[in-house]
Amino acid sequence: MYFKILHKDKKSKAKVGYFLTDHGKVKTPIFMPIATKGYIKTINKEYLDIINPEIILSNTFHLNIEPGIKIIYKSGGLHSFMKWNNPIITDSGGFQVYSLCNPKKINKYGANIKSYKNGKNYFFTPKKSINIQKYIGSDIITSFDECIIYNTSKNYVKIATERSYNWLIKCLYYFNKIKNIYNHNQYIFGIIQGGLYKDIRIKYTIKTSELKLDGYAIGGLQVGETKQKMYKIIKYVINELPNNKPIYLMGVGMPWDILNSISLGVDMFDCVIPTRNGRNGMLFTWNGIINIKNKKWKYDFSTIYNNLYSKAYLRHLFKCNEYSAKLIASINNLYFYKSLIKKARHHIKNDTFLQWKNYIIPIISKKL
């Protein structure tokens, strides 16, 4: 995959660049909205086209259950099924090893993941994960891994990280062996695990960096550790990675986490926060965080993102349990994240990113 760095910030490791896929160019740094089952919750195609994210993320395990790979294949792949022409990246199912799997049901071959839908067990292996992602037709495939539960013993972290690395080797083998189903190129990112242990992270980052991969993903963070520990791990990993490939921090996160991670050298982010929190009435704004359900907004007729809806009206919609409330709040947050990334790119290009980041984070993280 072609990746080019256009400018590096002089006072941090932040950088501006882009990578190319057959479904389009993606500018970095980038935030990728979550379309777990091929849709972003509450956001229909019309609004998705208006927001127009450069790339979205879907999930291999969930798509395998709903709607099922056969339907996706018969529709011509996920792009065709969704009527979506921009790039797609897929999570391999590794997070479901964390969220839906008993550690006792994991071995060197794969993991028994219990379906959230019917309780059925699905035995996922590196081969199965890659094969499903080939049929999904995502532009970027990720390796099958075990996202390790927070506060796990160092001994287990060693075992699980080595297992994830061995799965990565198998994923790379099957990625190269299994032919592409559709008429576009697919690329593969390797996921690096290692818990909160510096020595394990560094060891497997070095081993992973030696493989012929299109990019690198940092997994197993934002699962309960402190922010300070998360940032330390990011530093350890990025220091050992080549600087000519995109770096993806999985599952992060809050706007300030994104900005701090950009300053450490991260290029790609995904998280459910903008839409999930929006559906629950949390709005991200340039003045701070709003819980729109609070009484203080009852008579506030100032508007949100598009100068169309007032805070008082949106609060009214939430109080009436009106579906459009979730839609409006989710759109607000996705626009905010998109503008946050745009401003970050601007300041990186002008070598003012660190100063701007330190100024803006206390403002946007304040609860109003």
Side-chain angles (χ1 to χ4, degrees):
M1 183 172 70
Y2 182 79
F3 174 60
K4 183 173 183 178
I5 297 171
L6 299 173
H7 185 81
K8 293 182 179 180
D9 182 54
K10 291 179 179 178
K11 296 180 180 179
S12 73
K13 289 192 174 182
K15 55 189 182 293
V16 168
Y18 67 89
F19 60 82
L20 300 178
T21 76
D22 289 358
H23 284 101
K25 175 181 178 180
V26 177
K27 291 177 282 187
T28 60
I30 188 70
F31 177 81
M32 306 178 288
I34 304 291
T36 300
K37 300 177 188 176
Y39 59 87
I40 299 175
K41 285 188 177 181
T42 73
I43 308 290
N44 61 26
K45 181 65 166 57
E46 179 184 359
Y47 285 106
L48 184 60
D49 285 342
I50 293 171
I51 298 166
N52 193 30
E54 293 177 44
I55 180 172
I56 59 174
L57 179 139
S58 294
N59 183 275
T60 302
F61 180 78
H62 287 278
L63 286 171
N64 185 55
I65 296 173
E66 294 180 298
I69 297 306
K70 187 176 181 180
I71 292 174
I72 293 173
Y73 169 64
K74 285 187 173 292
S75 74
L78 187 58
H79 290 89
S80 176
F81 189 53
M82 291 179 62
K83 302 301 180 188
W84 175 251
N85 295 321
N86 289 357
I88 299 173
I89 182 172
T90 39
D91 184 0
S92 63
F95 186 77
Q96 283 64 53
V97 178
Y98 165 82
S99 62
L100 298 173
C101 183
N102 186 325
K104 294 180 181 178
K105 295 186 177 181
I106 306 170
N107 58 41
K108 65 180 181 179
Y109 302 107
N112 248 324
I113 307 175
K114 190 175 183 179
S115 169
Y116 59 91
K117 185 176 176 67
N118 55 21
K120 180 181 175 182
N121 283 318
Y122 291 83
F123 191 67
F124 255 57
T125 64
K127 181 180 181 180
K128 183 169 185 177
S129 176
I130 295 298
N131 193 53
I132 292 171
Q133 291 181 82
K134 289 277 188 175
Y135 274 92
I136 289 170
S138 49
D139 299 272
I140 299 175
I141 285 172
T142 56
S143 62
F144 187 55
D145 67 316
E146 179 183 352
C147 181
I148 303 164
I149 295 172
Y150 176 62
N151 272 344
T152 301
S153 70
K154 186 171 185 178
N155 184 57
Y156 186 86
V157 172
K158 283 182 179 179
I159 294 169
T161 304
E162 182 175 8
R163 181 160 53 214
S164 287
Y165 175 76
N166 290 335
W167 286 352
L168 167 57
I169 299 296
K170 293 179 180 178
C171 283
L172 188 56
Y173 171 78
Y174 288 113
F175 174 81
N176 291 321
K177 183 178 181 181
I178 300 172
K179 293 181 179 180
N180 291 354
I181 308 298
Y182 312 105
N183 191 30
H184 64 265
N185 288 310
Q186 291 180 287
Y187 305 98
I188 184 167
F189 281 27
I191 300 176
I192 300 163
Q193 291 290 343
L196 299 179
Y197 298 99
K198 178 180 178 181
D199 56 336
I200 300 176
R201 283 282 182 177
I202 290 176
K203 176 181 177 181
Y204 285 94
T205 300
I206 293 171
K207 287 169 72 72
T208 302
S209 69
E210 293 169 350
L211 303 174
K212 292 182 179 180
L213 299 166
D214 297 298
Y216 303 94
I218 306 171
L221 295 177
Q222 197 91 330
V223 291
E225 77 281 356
T226 65
K227 303 294 185 187
Q228 291 72 22
K229 288 182 179 179
M230 179 179 77
Y231 297 143
K232 282 183 179 180
I233 293 299
I234 295 169
K235 286 181 183 178
Y236 299 150
V237 172
I238 289 180
N239 284 341
E240 303 298 336
L241 287 175
N243 59 13
N244 62 342
K245 299 289 179 71
I247 299 170
Y248 165 28
L249 178 58
M250 308 183 81
V252 177
M254 285 294 194
W256 39 96
D257 292 330
I258 290 174
L259 295 182
N260 283 325
S261 299
I262 287 173
S263 73
L264 299 175
V266 176
D267 303 295
M268 301 167 65
F269 303 86
D270 78 275
C271 196
V272 297
I273 283 174
T275 47
R276 177 182 287 172
N277 289 24
R279 295 194 302 273
N280 289 301
M282 177 187 280
L283 274 64
F284 295 99
T285 78
W286 287 106
N287 296 316
I289 300 170
I290 293 173
N291 183 345
I292 201 65
K293 297 178 183 180
N294 286 349
K295 190 175 182 179
K296 68 183 294 183
W297 309 111
K298 188 174 183 178
Y299 296 103
D300 191 323
F301 301 108
S302 62
T303 56
I304 55 170
Y305 74 97
N306 61 359
N307 293 319
L308 180 61
Y309 299 104
S310 71
K311 297 180 181 72
Y313 182 66
L314 182 54
R315 179 181 182 274
H316 165 64
L317 294 179
F318 268 104
K319 288 297 180 181
C320 293
N321 201 29
E322 170 57 39
Y323 169 83
S324 60
K326 297 180 179 181
L327 170 64
I328 294 165
S330 296
I331 291 172
N332 173 85
N333 289 350
L334 288 175
Y335 268 124
F336 175 81
Y337 271 62
K338 188 171 184 178
S339 64
L340 182 80
I341 291 295
K342 186 177 181 179
K343 285 180 182 288
R345 290 177 191 150
H346 169 79
H347 284 285
I348 294 168
K349 289 176 183 177
N350 288 281
D351 295 313
T352 56
F353 175 74
L354 206 58
Q355 180 183 357
W356 171 74
K357 174 185 79 72
N358 293 336
Y359 163 76
I360 203 66
I361 285 178
I363 297 174
I364 61 175
S365 60
K366 180 175 63 177
K367 292 184 178 180
L368 299 176

